[in-house]
């Protein structure tokens, strides 16, 4: 359980800072070992430390599975959206964000929906993200089709970990409560805001768990950054009806670049300039049909008219042999006084259309020719 920290003396504060730095070095080395053991075919740990006013980090998760975990540093405010893909991803997540979080505190945690590849890291008994960090505000899904609350089940463990963190002092809202109570626009300082967007499926039953996803819009100056979790086309239509969505600088590809999300109608409204896809590219985890493996042909066709700046975290080398490699690696989108730039932790900044995998498995849309 995360504990509320007492104020330290200056001497103890200095000691804690030194200790935190040493721990970060050790965890960074451990993270490199974990990635190597897991099967990454790279001699680089895909991690890049940057310094910007607004930094959005899309994390690789140390295994062959598709999943979401986004760390955001907005000035002095630390935000985590999701913690997939498996419970075994927690060391990879911790070793990465500890390079930035030195006080053990996450000001905001958003859990988009109750699918393993998004919330597994919050569901670990004695070692979850809630155990490792003091989480001040937690915002999660309002509804779910999950019913098994036994702690032998992932959803039951999530509820148990969540309740323990609330008991330790965290403030908790569902996305529906944020909207109903008018507490959905958060000032993060330095002109940065975080808005919990309204969604039809915060209040109504959905066939797909994906449509319960918490949707978030960050704004910094003239730049907007949209996160829709795994929201599918029907949910996206409601999202457009309920919110005045802007054209966006950055769009985190809905549902990992699935054919069921990032609909043509949504793309026509948000016209993204940069798209980041969190997936294990070309993995047969969900389907053997090539065109429907993430990122799908339909996703590519829908995005192509607006941008070719599409970046992907990881690539599947051999699913059955548990072999995978970085594509762009941990992807960081930095916004500061010099503008917006993308930093690829793998050291390879090619966009999706420039990769051999794309030429072999996807048809180039006219807009990208």
């Amino acid at each position: 359980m995360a504990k509320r920290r007492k104020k330290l003396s200056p001497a103890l504060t200095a000691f804690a800072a030194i200790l935190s730095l040493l721990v970060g070095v050790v965890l960074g080395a451990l993270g490199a070992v974990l990635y190597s053991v897991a099967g990454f075919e790279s001699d680089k740990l895909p991690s890049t430390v940057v310094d910007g006013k607004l930094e959005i980090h899309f994390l690789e998760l140390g295994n062959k599975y598709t999943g979401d975990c986004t760390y955001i540093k907005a000035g002095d405010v630390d935000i985590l959206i999701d913690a997939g893909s498996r419970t075994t991803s927690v060391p990879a997540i911790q070793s990465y964000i500890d390079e930035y979080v030195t006080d053990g505190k996450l000001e905001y945690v958003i859990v988009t929906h109750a699918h393993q590849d998004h919330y597994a890291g919050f569901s670990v008994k004695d070692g979850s993200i809630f155990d490792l960090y003091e989480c001040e505000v937690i915002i999660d899904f309002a509804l779910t089709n999950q019913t098994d609350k036994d702690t032998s089940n992932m959803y039951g463990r999530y509820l148990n970990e969540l309740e323990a963190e609330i008991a330790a002092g965290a403030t908790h809202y569902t996305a529906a409560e944020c909207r109903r109570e008018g507490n959905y626009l958060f000032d993060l300082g330095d002109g940065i805001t975080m808005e919990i967007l309204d969604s039809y499926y915060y209040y109504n039953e959905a066939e797909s768990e994906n449509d319960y996803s918490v949707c978030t819009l960050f704004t910094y100056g003239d730049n907007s950054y949209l996160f829709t979790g795994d929201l599918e086309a029907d949910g996206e239509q409601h999202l457009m009806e309920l919110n005045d969505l802007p054209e966006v600088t950055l769009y985190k590809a809905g549902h990992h670049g699935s054919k069921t999300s990032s609909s043509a109608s949504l793309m026509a409204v948000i016209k993204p300039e940069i798209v980041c896809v969190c997936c294990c590219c070309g993995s047969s985890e969900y389907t053997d049909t090539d065109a429907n493996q993430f990122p799908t042909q339909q996703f590519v066709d829908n995005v192509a008219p607006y941008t070719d700046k599409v970046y992907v975290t990881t690539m599947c080398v051999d699913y059955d042999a548990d072999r995978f490699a970085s594509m762009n690696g941990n992807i960081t989108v930095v916004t500061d006084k010099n503008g917006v730039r993308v930093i690829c932790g793998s050291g390879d900044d090619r966009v999706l259309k420039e990769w051999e995998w794309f030429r072999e498995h996807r048809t180039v849309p006219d807009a990208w020719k």
Side-chain angles (χ1 to χ4, degrees):
M1 179 187 304
K3 303 296 183 184
R4 291 301 179 257
R5 293 163 176 76
K6 296 180 181 179
K7 187 174 182 180
L8 301 177
S9 67
L12 285 176
T13 299
F15 175 76
I18 294 171
L19 181 61
S20 177
L21 178 61
L22 291 173
V23 170
V25 171
V26 172
L27 287 174
L30 177 60
V33 173
L34 287 170
Y35 272 82
S36 176
V37 171
F40 262 88
E41 299 190 341
S42 172
D43 58 358
K44 300 177 181 178
L45 175 65
S47 176
T48 303
V49 178
V50 295
D51 182 18
K53 283 290 185 179
L54 178 63
E55 305 168 10
I56 301 175
H57 304 251
F58 300 97
L59 275 60
E60 288 196 287
L61 297 167
N63 54 49
K64 66 181 180 181
Y65 304 108
T66 286
D68 266 18
C69 183
T70 306
Y71 165 68
I72 299 172
K73 189 167 189 63
D76 294 327
V77 178
D78 298 298
I79 303 157
L80 190 68
I81 303 178
D82 287 338
S85 59
R86 296 292 190 272
T87 56
T88 54
S89 295
V90 170
I93 296 170
Q94 183 185 19
S95 65
Y96 188 93
I97 67 177
D98 276 356
E99 297 181 57
Y100 300 88
V101 178
T102 58
D103 60 358
K105 182 187 298 184
L106 296 169
E107 278 76 15
Y108 296 93
V109 169
I110 297 172
V111 188
T112 60
H113 64 293
H115 269 162
Q116 177 175 233
D117 59 324
H118 289 255
Y119 83 140
F122 300 110
S123 306
V124 184
K125 183 179 180 181
D126 300 324
S128 74
I129 295 297
F130 291 143
D131 294 322
L132 296 172
Y133 300 94
E134 177 185 346
C135 303
E136 291 195 339
V137 177
I138 302 167
I139 301 169
D140 66 358
F141 46 92
L143 297 175
T144 178
N145 295 331
Q146 305 287 344
T147 58
D148 189 349
K149 298 181 180 180
D150 189 275
T151 53
S152 63
N153 174 273
M154 181 167 286
Y155 180 57
R157 291 197 302 273
Y158 170 74
L159 293 178
N160 191 60
E161 291 293 312
L162 174 63
E163 289 167 4
E165 189 68 6
I166 294 170
T171 299
H172 171 246
Y173 307 100
T174 67
E177 288 170 339
C178 286
R179 296 298 309 191
R180 284 171 174 158
E181 297 170 11
N183 186 29
Y184 55 82
L185 186 62
F186 298 85
D187 185 351
L188 306 180
D190 295 322
I192 305 169
T193 62
M194 177 180 76
E195 181 180 359
I196 304 300
L197 297 172
D198 207 359
S199 178
Y200 177 81
Y201 291 110
Y202 294 166
Y203 323 101
N204 298 280
E205 184 177 347
E207 291 185 9
S208 170
E209 193 78 33
N210 294 327
D211 274 326
Y212 295 129
S213 293
V214 180
C215 299
T216 314
L217 181 71
F218 291 83
T219 303
Y220 182 33
D222 295 330
N223 298 295
S224 298
Y225 318 79
L226 179 63
F227 299 78
T228 60
D230 280 359
L231 196 68
E232 299 191 356
D234 182 56
E236 291 175 349
Q237 185 60 42
H238 289 294
L239 190 73
M240 290 182 284
E241 294 168 356
L242 292 171
N243 303 274
D244 185 14
L245 296 179
E247 296 180 8
V248 302
T249 303
L250 170 67
Y251 169 60
K252 189 198 76 67
H255 198 193
H256 320 286
S258 166
K259 68 175 183 178
T260 64
S261 302
S262 303
S263 61
S265 56
L266 177 64
M267 295 304 98
V269 170
I270 66 171
K271 296 179 172 62
E273 296 177 20
I274 300 168
V275 179
C276 293
V277 188
C278 298
C279 75
C280 197
C281 180
S283 167
S284 59
E285 179 181 1
Y286 297 113
T287 178
D288 290 327
T289 303
D290 183 87
N292 294 336
Q293 292 174 354
F294 303 150
T296 65
Q297 183 68 53
Q298 186 63 63
F299 161 79
V300 168
D301 292 342
N302 290 348
V303 168
Y306 308 101
T307 186
D308 64 355
K309 295 180 177 62
V310 179
Y311 299 88
V312 181
T313 52
T314 312
M315 176 172 58
C316 184
V317 177
D318 187 328
Y319 186 82
D320 293 332
D322 198 27
R323 293 171 57 209
F324 52 97
S326 295
M327 278 185 87
N328 298 122
N330 292 317
I331 305 166
T332 307
V333 179
V334 184
T335 306
D336 58 20
K337 64 182 179 181
N338 297 315
V340 181
R341 64 188 186 277
V342 178
I343 300 174
C344 299
S346 69
D348 194 325
D349 61 359
R350 283 180 292 167
V351 296
L352 177 61
K353 71 178 184 179
E354 296 173 334
W355 285 82
E356 294 82 359
W357 177 89
F358 183 85
R359 291 194 291 270
E360 293 174 4
H361 296 274
R362 295 290 174 262
T363 300
V364 182
D366 290 339
W368 285 4
K369 291 180 179 177

